[in-house]
Amino acid sequence: MEAQFIKRFHYCLILLSWVSISFSQVPKDMVTIGAGSYVPLYGTTDKKPVFIKSFLLDVYPVTNQQYLEFLKKNPNYRKSKIKRLFANTTYLSEWSGDLSFGQLNANAPVTNISWFAAKEYCECQGKRLATLDEWEYVAMADEKRKDARSREEFNKYILSWYEKNKTYNNSVGKTFKNYWGVYDMHGLVWEWTFDFNSIFLSGESRKDKDTDKDLFCGSGSVNATDLMNYAAFMRYAFRGSIKANYTTKNLGFRCAKNIAN
Amino acid sequence: MSNFIKKVLVLCVACAASIACKQNGDSTTNYADISVGDEMIAELTAPPFVPKPVGDRPAKKLIVNMEIKEIEGEMADGVKYVYWTFGGSVPGSFIRTRVGDEVQFTLKNHPDNKLPHNIDLHAVTGPGGGAASSLVAPGHEKTFNFKCINPGLYVYHCATAPVGMHIANGMYGLILVEPEGGLPPVDKEYYVMQGDFYTKGKNGEPGMQPFDMTKAVDEHPDYVVFNGKVGALTGDKALTAKVGETVRIYMGNGGPNLVSSFHVIGEIFDRVHIEGGDAINKNVQTTLIPAGGSAIVEFKVDVPGTFILVDHSIFRAFNKGALGMLKVEGAENAKIYSGTTQEGIYHPEGGTIQNMPKSGNGKDVVVNKTLAQQITDGKNIYGRTCFACHQSEGQGIPGAFPPLAKSDFLNADPNRAVNAVLHGLSGEITVNGKKFNSVMTSQNLTDQEISDVLTYVYNSWGNNKTKVTPEMVKTQRAKPAPKSKDMHE
């Protein structure tokens, strides 16, 4: 047990050292997201913009193949080993074994993954999960614009995914490349964010008239900044329905990284 | 003696108090205290059917297991839509309880689903009607409990953000809380719910149609339907009853936007539980059903025939799909309804009403009328005679009125078409692979008019360009009306 832990730690160290050697460059499969500010749908009661510092983000969500490589080095996160505290029973439920993703597409995003596992994966790469505000900031870009949220066609595109079944087994990189050079923010799977539950939704989404609980909300009402942004409403509602050890078929993740000074 | 007076007085006061209590409405005060017996798994049914009545069973702990499924379905012929459902149907499974029941409600979100959901049952007294306790991620389930303390017919629906979209995609249904001892027994009970739908393409545009948020916000539905789709209650899916039976319809309106003016053509509701509550109105023609509301309507069917259920905001019925059928079989009752007893020609300038001559007189026949002229005149006749049912482009109304456009039934036999106009047509026919079972009445047109209108129809919308002459009509008119069997083959 202890030996395993040390071993895993060791692998993380190797990765970290590799990352630190190349800190001045943008790592392969990541792009730089420029600094900026925007008004998120929720989270700013005064409806003032939040400022996003420049950071790095994975171009694609983490795939089954990549996650398999991680599991080879981190036995504690294999489906037969993982602690229930860190992932519920549907963790990697479509994998046929500890080190086999079965019939799933190697190049499809890994799903049925818990927040704990996603966070661990990123940390082992010397990365971290993106914050909710960072994720939403990147997600508001279409092919040409940093902020396409008011574009009706863009919203329709996102909404149409919510109505398509079984996209989780599609390969990464098949949707559009956005302004920042990032793929699959929409149209493939939901993604974990570091503070996914910082906007607390009760599930009673019409409760948001209650200003004492300014984050206790999730629907078209007083505290939301854009009543027409149905696509974003659904992301916030989804995040409100999950807990850190939950795993679902349409929920994957990607990693972010601070830019070293 | 004085003791006796005292007793009487006490009794009177007690009487008065109990009456006062009754008048205050005993619905909420007592039912919370009803204790429950053993557990029972609730029977859930898909529309148009309802679970069996509670009868005189005692209050129980009722276990309800509701599964949420996001499924692809058909909005109309060739029009696909992804429905979000409670129990796999739109409206969702019917839940039947009685006052005093303690419901243990488990909401299960199928792992294949993409979205979180929850449920707000209007029958629940508590925050969000259950919504606050039931937000459930895909692949998970949640349980909460509530006690039915108000009898009535209640809507339930999903209340997850964006609420309107979840409802617009079909996430609503009905939960009935019967009074103690149950509702009075009837012969037939059905479950119908109206809903408005907003699609990217306009009404009838084929293929997969995504939800259109802008139209929903503007409240401009492309479809207004009963039980989730056009034709859910027509043809062989029509509701049925026999003459003499009493029919009860649990009628709800999921919205999300429109209010329904619910009406059954050719029937009068004997009793209506207004808005699904205790108040009963009698002899009602059309009852208003709010979005997120309901009504229980009851009527005895006295005569046979097809009775059409509509939202009497009538363009919704004939152009957007809010049309269903109740087929009643049994013996005619001429005292209540005679059918047509006489046909005549009305002369506004005076004179007596005359019978329509059985064979067309030749007077109106125009000799050597050109095809173009026939088509022009025929189009006018079509516009005032045929248009209402067969529609502007001959497309008909799925499940109700057969199409005339590219119609195999029409093109197969012009004489049969002539006879349909002359004598009417009823009973089951198959047109372009779809079955229809409606009634077309005989049309009071002259030989020339019939030949013109049919020529117009045959020369429009991809039909085989048959030219129908007045002589052809005259020949058919001279013959006895064909038997219905011959018309259908």
Side-chain angles (χ1 to χ4, degrees):
Chain A
M1 185 66 191
E2 201 171 303
Q4 267 182 0
F5 184 76
I6 290 165
K7 203 172 164 193
R8 201 199 73 205
F9 190 68
H10 181 65
Y11 279 121
C12 280
L13 274 181
I14 292 170
L15 281 161
L16 274 172
S17 56
W18 175 79
V19 167
S20 61
I21 290 162
S22 55
F23 75 92
S24 57
Q25 301 157 342
V26 175
K28 188 164 72 76
D29 292 338
M30 289 191 105
V31 289
T32 306
I33 309 298
S37 62
Y38 78 110
V39 180
L41 186 66
Y42 285 112
T44 58
T45 45
D46 50 3
K47 299 180 182 175
K48 281 187 184 151
V50 297
F51 181 73
I52 305 293
K53 285 202 289 188
S54 184
F55 67 105
L56 302 176
L57 186 67
D58 284 352
V59 173
Y60 309 110
V62 174
T63 64
N64 285 311
Q65 183 63 44
Q66 288 169 328
Y67 200 72
L68 177 63
E69 298 304 321
F70 163 79
L71 289 180
K72 283 178 187 167
K73 297 165 194 164
N74 294 279
N76 286 346
Y77 281 82
R78 292 175 191 171
K79 61 188 283 193
S80 67
K81 297 273 174 56
I82 195 161
K83 298 262 188 305
R84 275 295 151 262
L85 195 62
F86 295 148
N88 64 16
T89 53
T90 49
Y91 176 69
L92 300 178
S93 61
E94 294 196 18
W95 285 45
S96 56
D98 270 350
L99 293 173
S100 166
F101 45 76
Q103 300 297 307
L104 293 170
N105 173 2
N107 213 24
V110 61
T111 62
N112 276 318
I113 198 93
S114 68
W115 177 85
F116 291 107
K119 181 171 169 284
E120 180 72 13
Y121 177 95
C122 291
E123 285 171 2
C124 270
Q125 321 287 321
K127 301 180 185 175
R128 59 174 174 83
L129 287 169
T131 66
L132 196 157
D133 282 342
E134 283 171 342
W135 197 97
E136 288 287 323
Y137 175 69
V138 178
M140 68 190 191
D142 67 359
E143 292 95 325
K144 290 179 182 151
R145 260 164 291 205
K146 277 189 211 174
D147 184 356
R149 289 179 296 175
S150 60
R151 223 184 106 215
E152 196 176 323
E153 284 310 306
F154 183 59
N155 278 309
K156 280 186 178 168
Y157 173 83
I158 300 171
L159 285 179
S160 73
W161 172 70
Y162 298 148
E163 295 169 349
K164 265 177 226 144
N165 283 327
K166 306 199 183 208
T167 49
Y168 67 91
N169 208 26
N170 296 348
S171 294
V172 300
K174 303 292 181 198
T175 66
F176 70 92
K177 178 183 185 175
N178 82 3
Y179 173 87
W180 303 106
V182 172
Y183 286 85
D184 304 325
M185 295 301 280
H186 306 290
L188 190 63
V189 288
W190 304 104
E191 294 183 14
W192 284 109
T193 59
F194 182 74
D195 53 342
F196 70 95
N197 53 2
S198 63
I199 306 295
F200 183 65
L201 291 113
S202 64
E204 167 40 323
S205 57
R206 302 148 297 181
K207 213 169 179 174
D208 37 2
K209 311 259 189 215
D210 188 348
T211 48
D212 291 341
K213 297 170 182 160
D214 44 71
L215 298 180
F216 209 75
C217 46
S219 136
S221 195
V222 180
N223 287 323
T225 54
D226 178 3
L227 298 181
M228 287 302 283
N229 196 344
Y230 274 41
F233 279 127
M234 292 166 92
R235 287 195 298 275
Y236 283 88
F238 181 83
R239 291 175 189 131
S241 78
I242 51 179
K243 292 180 182 165
N245 67 339
Y246 277 23
T247 73
T248 92
K249 210 182 261 189
N250 288 298
L251 175 58
F253 71 102
R254 75 177 76 211
C255 306
K257 189 170 160 37
N258 292 341
I259 291 178
N261 293 320
Chain B
M1 188 64 186
S2 71
N3 227 352
F4 177 68
I5 289 169
K6 244 185 192 168
K7 269 185 183 164
V8 168
L9 264 173
V10 167
L11 252 173
C12 280
V13 170
C15 275
S18 81
I19 289 165
C21 250
K22 271 246 154 69
Q23 284 170 340
N24 279 343
D26 52 358
S27 56
T28 47
T29 43
N30 303 335
Y31 295 131
D33 300 330
I34 296 178
S35 61
V36 295
D38 49 349
E39 282 188 11
M40 186 171 92
I41 303 218
E43 179 192 3
L44 302 178
T45 58
F49 303 108
V50 294
K52 60 178 178 301
V54 299
D56 55 4
R57 77 161 168 83
K60 294 194 178 200
K61 181 171 185 189
L62 194 66
I63 315 288
V64 176
N65 290 302
M66 183 71 84
E67 188 186 30
I68 294 165
K69 291 186 207 161
E70 297 164 9
I71 49 172
E72 186 182 310
E74 230 180 19
M75 178 75 67
D77 286 336
V79 183
K80 300 255 192 302
Y81 194 79
V82 175
Y83 293 93
W84 302 346
T85 72
F86 286 108
S89 60
V90 178
S93 307
F94 194 96
I95 308 166
R96 193 159 193 163
T97 70
R98 57 149 285 174
V99 280
D101 277 353
E102 282 175 24
V103 179
Q104 178 187 309
F105 199 103
T106 301
L107 193 62
K108 304 174 177 194
N109 195 350
H110 195 278
D112 283 343
N113 295 346
K114 280 210 167 104
L115 297 159
H117 298 286
N118 63 6
I119 193 165
D120 167 354
L121 299 118
H122 292 179
V124 169
T125 306
S133 315
S134 62
L135 181 69
V136 57
H140 291 80
E141 58 180 60
K142 275 215 179 149
T143 301
F144 63 102
N145 295 282
F146 64 91
K147 193 170 180 76
C148 300
I149 55 174
N150 299 79
L153 180 62
Y154 299 95
V155 167
Y156 65 78
H157 63 89
C158 184
T160 303
V163 182
M165 183 172 176
H166 283 255
I167 295 175
N169 282 341
M171 296 197 82
Y172 46 77
L174 291 178
I175 173 169
L176 173 65
V177 182
E178 293 200 58
E180 212 153 6
L183 290 165
V186 291
D187 301 299
K188 289 276 162 63
E189 291 189 314
Y190 290 112
Y191 170 24
V192 180
M193 224 168 156
Q194 181 170 323
D196 27 306
F197 287 87
Y198 304 82
T199 54
K200 189 175 179 200
K202 61 184 198 313
N203 183 297
E205 202 165 303
M208 174 58 76
Q209 291 297 332
F211 165 73
D212 190 305
M213 177 179 69
T214 311
K215 286 180 183 174
V217 172
D218 293 346
E219 306 191 12
H220 289 152
D222 300 281
Y223 297 89
V224 182
V225 296
F226 294 141
N227 289 358
K229 59 177 288 188
V230 176
L233 296 174
T234 60
D236 52 9
K237 282 172 283 183
L239 309 178
T240 59
K242 293 194 176 70
V243 167
E245 286 185 329
T246 300
V247 177
R248 176 183 288 147
I249 298 176
Y250 297 102
M251 179 71 197
N253 184 6
N257 288 322
L258 302 186
V259 165
S260 174
S261 302
F262 184 56
H263 175 77
V264 176
I265 298 173
E267 264 300 341
I268 295 149
F269 302 137
D270 299 327
R271 288 154 53 90
V272 175
H273 283 259
I274 302 161
E275 293 164 6
D278 286 352
I280 289 175
N281 197 0
K282 293 180 176 173
N283 302 323
V284 177
Q285 57 191 310
T286 300
T287 191
L288 202 63
I289 304 175
S294 71
I296 304 172
V297 303
E298 295 166 9
F299 50 95
K300 186 180 167 210
V301 286
D302 296 297
V303 295
T306 298
F307 298 84
I308 311 283
L309 286 62
V310 294
D311 179 342
H312 215 296
S313 292
I314 208 73
F315 279 102
R316 297 176 188 168
F318 290 102
N319 296 73
K320 294 185 173 179
L323 186 146
M325 289 178 177
L326 170 67
K327 287 189 180 166
V328 179
E329 288 183 345
E332 300 278 358
N333 185 341
K335 268 191 209 154
I336 292 174
Y337 186 71
S338 69
T340 307
T341 52
Q342 196 180 6
E343 283 182 66
I345 295 169
Y346 167 54
H347 295 284
E349 66 277 13
T352 54
I353 292 172
Q354 297 175 0
N355 283 326
M356 177 87 184
K358 257 303 175 197
S359 58
N361 57 46
K363 274 180 196 165
D364 72 315
V365 174
V366 179
V367 183
N368 294 333
K369 197 167 180 176
T370 64
L371 180 67
Q373 191 57 46
Q374 266 198 299
I375 290 172
T376 308
D377 293 349
K379 187 174 182 180
N380 287 333
I381 297 161
Y382 186 87
R384 51 175 206 267
T385 310
C386 320
F387 168 88
C389 297
H390 292 293
Q391 303 287 292
S392 60
E393 300 301 316
Q395 71 269 40
I397 292 177
F401 305 117
L404 299 178
K406 282 186 199 156
S407 163
D408 56 359
F409 186 86
L410 179 81
N411 289 317
D413 184 355
N415 285 334
R416 180 171 63 183
V418 170
N419 275 309
V421 181
L422 277 170
H423 304 293
L425 180 57
S426 66
E428 186 173 287
I429 60 170
T430 303
V431 181
N432 296 346
K434 297 266 189 292
K435 284 191 171 145
F436 293 87
N437 197 345
S438 300
V439 176
M440 170 174 166
T441 55
S442 68
Q443 304 298 324
N444 236 335
L445 299 172
T446 67
D447 293 354
Q448 184 68 55
E449 285 170 330
I450 290 173
S451 69
D452 289 352
V453 76
L454 283 174
T455 300
Y456 165 69
V457 169
Y458 273 110
N459 285 276
S460 304
W461 319 310
N463 287 323
N464 67 6
K465 301 194 183 302
T466 303
K467 181 175 157 71
V468 179
T469 62
E471 289 70 35
M472 288 163 73
V473 182
K474 193 177 174 188
T475 312
Q476 294 304 319
R477 201 192 282 275
K479 292 180 187 171
K483 287 187 182 123
S484 108
K485 171 175 128 333
D486 301 325
M487 294 287 279
H488 296 164
E489 283 160 3

